[in-house]
Amino acid sequence: MSVPTHRRRWFTVCALAASAALVAIPPSAASGRTVSPFGVRALGQLAKEREQSVGAMSPHVAADDDGGNEADEIAEGADQYAEARTSPGVVAPGAYGAAWQDLNKLHDAGGRWRNITDLPYNSDDARYRDIDSNSSGGSGNVTGRMAALAADDDGYVYAGSAGGGVWRSRSGGGHWQPISDRLPAQSTGALAVDGAGRLWLGTGEATTNADAYLGSGVYVLTHPHHGTFSTRSRVGGDELESTTIHELRFGGGTVWAATSKGVWSHSAKKLGGPWKLEYAPNPDFLPGGSKADDPSAPYKNIANDIAIDPKDPSKVVLAVGWRSGDDYNGFYTKAGGTWTRITSGLGDLPADADNVGNVTFARSADGSRYYAIDQSPEQLNTNPDSGLEGIYVSKSGSPTGPWTKIADYKGLAADNSALTTAGYMPGVQAWYNQFLTVDPSDPQHVYAGLEEVYETKDGGADWSTVGPYWNFTFPCWNIDPAKQTGDCNPTTHSDQHGVAIGRYHGKSFVYVGNDGGVYKRPVNGSQDASGHATDWTSLNDGTIDTLQYYSVGIGKDPDHGGLAVTGGLQDNGQSVLRSNDKVMGSNFGGDGGDTLTDPANGCNIAQEYVYLAVQVTQNCAVNDGSWVTDPSKATSYSVAPPDNATSEARFIAPLAADMKDGNTWVAGGRHIWVQTHGYAIRSGKEWTSVHDLGAGRTATAVAASGGKIYAAWCGPCNNQGFARGIAVGNADGTGWHDISLPVDGTVPNRYLSGFAVDPKNADHVFLAVNGFSRHWTEGPGAGVGHVFESTDGGTTWKDISGNLPDVPTNSALVTADGGLAVATDLGVVYRAPGRATWQRIGSLPAVAVLQLKTSPDGGTLYAATHGRGIYTVKVCDLR
């Protein structure tokens, strides 16, 4: 395995010299303290890492085998999330659907889940203006990633999230209600309202291509103002199950779907009958094909969008291609009844495979113009600044062109973008961030989304950055806690994915969806002198909770009584919910990975960014921003173990406290690191390596009790030579040894995702195993089972999966009364004390639960979901 270089694309805030409000922080700042403003990664460092990643990118393999050269950490995070569920091979279609059916057959364990994060989450909370926070950046209230949006002219807005289903607003945004909870997939790829007012949903998010986000097909809601989606509303058969869907397009009575398995079509009038495969560039790699088990199969038939000629719906152009490049990348149209690559005549729009990657089309309502965004694999490989090839217009209104380039990354950067630093400029994540739409009343009025939101009112001659990445780089910004974002206007969250235009009370609004949820402004809104919008409104009012948690921590609130709850989030930092809060705050920025919280004091917090970049605070990171002029007043500290600096840790790396001694922490990268100073740690130098897992291996799970440590590892971690194992030893560095785990032994040769140690006996431990069994997974030693038990300190293991559905299992926890709770990709299951069968806890939607913790008294179980926030259930109610 080639250990990945850090490529921090979700980064915490930095402030540049361009911001007059900042002062230099002297090198004499306290040891261990982050001296770059706002977080563990400064923009200059990110740019440097981006430059180092250019030039040697492998297009089809997961991050562990890419030589550390994947252009973006988002890609690596997605790949690692996926490989945990697919290794050691390739998972056959239908696995998640079958698991969901089996899960619904389990008996109810009792108890009712309660969502505790269904309240506003303010990323600019004035209480938390510490050095590692993003507060005052201007994004305001946020929620989890939105992959697609749709809206109509009656004030109805539909928001499709990455992992928390589809939500409806009847009031032009806000006051949301979930409408897809009964579906077996809560991941959204595409949303569209057709001419008859029906709402179409394509499941399976296509932005990251992680298998965890595969969908179950396309669904139609005939009366979306009132109804909810059900399995009965699926279009066609199971042809699109276990795919991702990038776009749904309509023309000539046909609906077209751009999917991870090529381009498909179906009658938009008669919804029965199968989907028709229109074009797959490499059909041998499709399910059932001769190369379906090839490791590169998921990347061989990627379709991104479909453009239909409004004057002649029989003329269709397909945009096909993998973001990192492949021979099949390009534009295709039918000639003589056969789909044929377009090799010339497109004008400025590239036709060669090297420069056609992720593509988004948009056409004007009057049919006079087509627009397109094109991401270039060649740029991704060779240009440290951006992967954007350009934005284009076809003034003929035909998708065959000729096309004219109307924007590139340098021009957008010059239009008062926040991204003007070499190494991180507009379109640097164009493979991940794209949307495009045209004002229905003006064919020259266009909104384009990349990392930021751009607007042109003259067909592309002039652009404005109406939604900058953040405000930190602008002179109007300051950290004053009396203001949201200094003297700047609020902006949107970064990383744009979805867009829609609709009307409410007779006024037109543009809605944008991104990594922070949903925002709106008038279509013809106002701008300041810099071209930044003055009228963005966050629609993340707390009624929509699609927060994507990796972790959860619980401790007693030292100031208000009750409990403080924290959790690490995808691209939304760390949330902190104090016992008296009506609004959650964000005390750490960027990506929040694992978290430790002192049960006796919930303001003692350790938060992992990514790759073991750990920060610690002992006051909940409460700060008024005075550290800007006096660095000694910062109250969070960078304490990353050395594997962070050497890039030898997983994207979300394991971090744990000893169950018997909260001052002893264990962190896992290539090495197993221990520190014994608890939350008083102030430097990464305080960690000690107690065991080296070996070159090419990284920890996937750690647990400790009474000085005994369990560490699971993988390496390589993808399906190209996957290997896994367990090492056991002591916190003082003695007694370390590898457990014998034969490939075809009791414990499957799959990703080992979590340990649960019996609090009464450190030699009694449970193991959670991710992925799918050999029934679904083609790979050496995939085996069977998901939960295993050892009573001899890990030397031998017994499969106790029993009636547990075959579903990826993420973590486990032994309750105070001896029960066993297990978090899976589709909810939480429970085995009561003294029993051998599994039951389902409550009725969460089909959402991944990544971590379980209990309250300090053990009476409440907390579940960190990756798409629907944090839920609790009383342990005494489980039976």
Side-chain angles (χ1 to χ4, degrees):
M1 181 185 74
S2 175
V3 181
T5 300
H6 297 191
R7 286 164 303 275
R8 310 292 175 80
R9 296 279 71 86
W10 297 315
F11 46 96
T12 54
V13 181
C14 63
L16 306 180
S19 177
L22 279 188
V23 300
I25 296 180
S28 59
S31 175
R33 179 159 291 148
T34 303
V35 296
S36 58
F38 296 98
V40 295
R41 308 306 293 175
L43 188 57
Q45 178 65 23
L46 289 165
K48 180 180 179 181
E49 292 167 350
R50 172 76 171 102
E51 290 175 1
Q52 292 172 345
S53 76
V54 166
M57 192 163 69
S58 176
H60 301 310
V61 296
D64 292 297
D65 199 33
D66 69 358
N69 293 301
E70 179 57 84
D72 200 299
E73 72 172 15
I74 298 175
E76 186 169 326
D79 284 337
Q80 290 191 13
Y81 195 94
E83 69 194 17
R85 290 151 176 80
T86 58
S87 297
V90 176
V91 177
Y96 274 101
W100 180 244
Q101 291 180 6
D102 290 342
L103 191 72
N104 283 312
K105 295 176 184 177
L106 293 181
H107 291 299
D108 186 358
R112 296 190 63 177
W113 290 109
R114 182 173 72 91
N115 185 352
I116 64 167
T117 52
D118 56 347
L119 70 168
Y121 174 34
N122 185 6
S123 68
D124 290 324
D125 194 315
R127 293 173 292 176
Y128 306 109
R129 300 257 161 123
D130 207 359
I131 196 167
D132 289 317
S133 169
N134 278 3
S135 181
S136 77
S139 298
N141 289 346
V142 297
T143 190
R145 185 168 73 246
M146 289 299 153
L149 298 174
D152 63 20
D153 289 339
D154 298 316
Y156 286 78
V157 184
Y158 309 96
S161 66
V166 180
W167 299 69
R168 174 177 58 214
S169 169
R170 294 186 170 99
S171 55
H175 304 288
W176 301 93
Q177 296 175 319
I179 59 172
S180 66
D181 282 3
R182 292 186 290 168
L183 297 184
Q186 295 298 306
S187 173
T188 305
L191 282 175
V193 176
D194 68 10
R198 298 175 298 177
L199 179 64
W200 293 69
L201 163 64
T203 59
E205 187 195 19
T207 55
T208 61
N209 294 294
D211 271 16
Y213 300 116
L214 293 178
S216 55
V218 174
Y219 299 83
V220 171
L221 192 52
T222 303
H223 304 290
H225 288 190
H226 308 288
T228 59
F229 287 103
S230 73
T231 55
R232 296 188 302 274
S233 62
R234 188 165 76 171
V235 179
D238 59 3
E239 300 82 18
L240 300 186
E241 188 167 330
S242 298
T243 65
T244 61
I245 296 176
H246 202 287
E247 293 287 357
L248 296 171
R249 301 295 189 184
F250 301 86
T254 298
V255 56
W256 297 72
T259 82
S260 54
K261 297 178 183 176
V263 178
W264 298 71
S265 68
H266 198 283
S267 169
K269 300 176 181 179
K270 298 180 179 180
L271 305 183
W275 285 82
K276 175 186 176 183
L277 177 59
E278 290 283 353
Y279 180 65
N282 295 290
D284 287 346
F285 291 87
L286 293 175
S290 60
K291 298 181 179 180
D293 298 335
D294 189 286
S296 65
Y299 312 100
K300 285 292 188 180
N301 290 285
I302 302 292
N304 294 302
D305 208 347
I306 302 111
I308 303 167
D309 192 321
K311 302 179 182 66
D312 183 356
S314 67
K315 294 180 179 179
V316 178
V317 172
L318 314 179
V320 178
W322 170 232
R323 67 191 185 207
S324 299
D326 203 308
D327 292 342
Y328 73 86
N329 285 31
F331 298 101
Y332 294 77
T333 191
K334 266 192 175 178
T338 302
W339 290 102
T340 304
R341 185 195 300 266
I342 301 174
T343 58
S344 62
L346 292 177
D348 292 344
L349 186 65
D352 60 301
D354 290 340
N355 286 299
V356 180
N358 187 21
V359 172
T360 301
F361 290 119
R363 76 183 187 195
S364 62
D366 65 1
S368 66
R369 295 195 174 205
Y370 243 108
Y371 294 88
I373 298 177
D374 176 33
Q375 169 260 327
S376 164
E378 182 174 306
Q379 294 291 321
L380 187 63
N381 265 315
T382 62
N383 184 357
D385 297 335
S386 178
L388 178 67
E389 183 68 18
I391 304 177
Y392 303 83
V393 62
S394 169
K395 295 182 180 179
S396 69
S398 170
T400 59
W403 294 84
T404 302
K405 181 181 283 192
I406 55 175
D408 59 22
Y409 77 92
K410 292 181 180 179
L412 293 175
D415 292 321
N416 290 306
S417 165
L419 304 180
T420 58
T421 300
Y424 207 89
M425 298 181 73
V428 69
Q429 295 170 184
W431 63 268
Y432 173 68
N433 302 319
Q434 281 193 26
F435 73 56
L436 194 62
T437 193
V438 186
D439 182 347
S441 64
D442 183 353
Q444 297 197 79
H445 188 190
V446 179
Y447 281 88
L450 295 166
E451 297 75 32
E452 304 173 299
V453 182
Y454 307 98
E455 180 184 19
T456 178
K457 297 182 178 181
D458 55 13
D462 299 287
W463 291 88
S464 299
T465 308
V466 291
Y469 197 95
W470 52 34
N471 288 325
F472 295 110
T473 57
F474 302 126
C476 58
W477 174 83
N478 64 66
I479 203 168
D480 184 353
K483 302 177 180 180
Q484 178 183 346
T485 181
D487 296 321
C488 301
N489 291 295
T491 184
T492 71
H493 195 287
S494 59
D495 297 339
Q496 312 303 319
H497 305 295
V499 65
I501 292 177
R503 295 178 67 83
Y504 181 56
H505 290 331
K507 296 181 180 179
S508 292
F509 293 90
V510 60
Y511 301 87
V512 301
N514 48 50
D515 276 12
V518 191
Y519 297 76
K520 79 172 181 180
R521 70 183 292 251
V523 168
N524 289 294
S526 62
Q527 302 176 12
D528 63 19
S530 297
H532 303 153
T534 65
D535 44 15
W536 285 111
T537 299
S538 170
L539 300 178
N540 310 304
D541 59 1
T543 62
I544 184 170
D545 184 0
T546 60
L547 291 169
Q548 295 172 280
Y549 282 94
Y550 289 109
S551 61
V552 59
I554 310 98
K556 296 179 180 179
D557 191 322
D559 300 317
H560 309 291
L563 297 176
V565 181
T566 63
L569 289 151
Q570 187 273 325
D571 208 18
N572 282 301
Q574 172 128 343
S575 69
V576 54
L577 174 61
R578 307 293 294 273
S579 61
N580 65 335
D581 275 353
K582 302 300 182 184
V583 176
M584 289 193 299
S586 177
N587 54 358
F588 292 97
D591 275 274
D594 216 335
T595 187
L596 299 179
T597 304
D598 185 351
N601 183 343
C603 279
N604 288 340
I605 302 167
Q607 185 261 0
E608 179 199 6
Y609 173 44
V610 290
Y611 304 106
L612 277 184
V614 180
Q615 300 92 43
V616 66
T617 182
Q618 291 190 277
N619 75 332
C620 278
V622 172
N623 200 291
D624 62 3
S626 56
W627 62 268
V628 169
T629 54
D630 183 356
S632 68
K633 293 185 177 180
T635 52
S636 58
Y637 305 84
S638 175
V639 296
D643 280 353
N644 168 254
T646 58
S647 306
E648 294 177 291
R650 301 282 288 170
F651 181 76
I652 301 297
L655 180 68
D658 190 297
M659 297 175 65
K660 302 298 184 182
D661 178 7
N663 287 325
T664 297
W665 298 359
V666 181
R670 167 181 168 170
H671 303 82
I672 303 304
W673 299 94
V674 171
Q675 72 91 7
T676 57
H677 300 154
Y679 298 92
I681 184 175
R682 291 296 181 266
S683 168
K685 296 179 181 179
E686 297 175 51
W687 293 91
T688 299
S689 173
V690 298
H691 183 62
D692 184 351
L693 294 171
R697 295 177 175 179
T698 52
T700 59
V702 296
S705 181
K708 184 164 190 172
I709 298 173
Y710 295 90
W713 55 264
C714 64
C717 297
N718 57 24
N719 54 20
Q720 300 183 9
F722 176 83
R724 90 291 183 244
I726 297 174
V728 180
N730 299 314
D732 62 6
T734 64
W736 280 92
H737 59 284
D738 287 331
I739 301 296
S740 176
L741 293 179
V743 170
D744 294 317
T746 302
V747 177
N749 186 39
R750 304 201 308 270
Y751 188 93
L752 309 180
S753 54
F755 295 102
V757 183
D758 185 341
K760 299 177 181 178
N761 180 2
D763 287 332
H764 185 202
V765 61
F766 300 89
L767 173 66
V769 180
N770 216 297
F772 289 94
S773 74
R774 62 191 176 212
H775 177 77
W776 297 104
T777 303
E778 292 289 339
V784 295
H786 289 275
V787 183
F788 297 80
E789 180 180 17
S790 174
T791 57
D792 54 13
T795 302
T796 60
W797 295 90
K798 175 185 177 182
D799 184 1
I800 61 168
S801 304
N803 65 323
L804 183 70
D806 187 3
V807 59
T809 301
N810 301 307
S811 64
L813 180 143
V814 179
T815 59
D817 62 356
L820 183 62
V822 172
T824 80
D825 269 5
L826 296 174
V828 183
V829 294
Y830 177 71
R831 193 185 73 168
R835 296 186 183 178
T837 58
W838 297 91
Q839 297 173 293
R840 181 186 181 191
I841 299 180
S843 55
L844 291 174
V847 62
V849 180
L850 299 189
Q851 193 175 84
L852 301 171
K853 295 279 183 68
T854 54
S855 56
D857 64 3
T860 303
L861 181 67
Y862 288 73
T865 79
H866 202 62
R868 291 295 284 266
I870 297 173
Y871 283 76
T872 66
V873 66
K874 293 294 184 182
V875 174
C876 64
D877 290 338
L878 306 179
R879 57 182 185 272

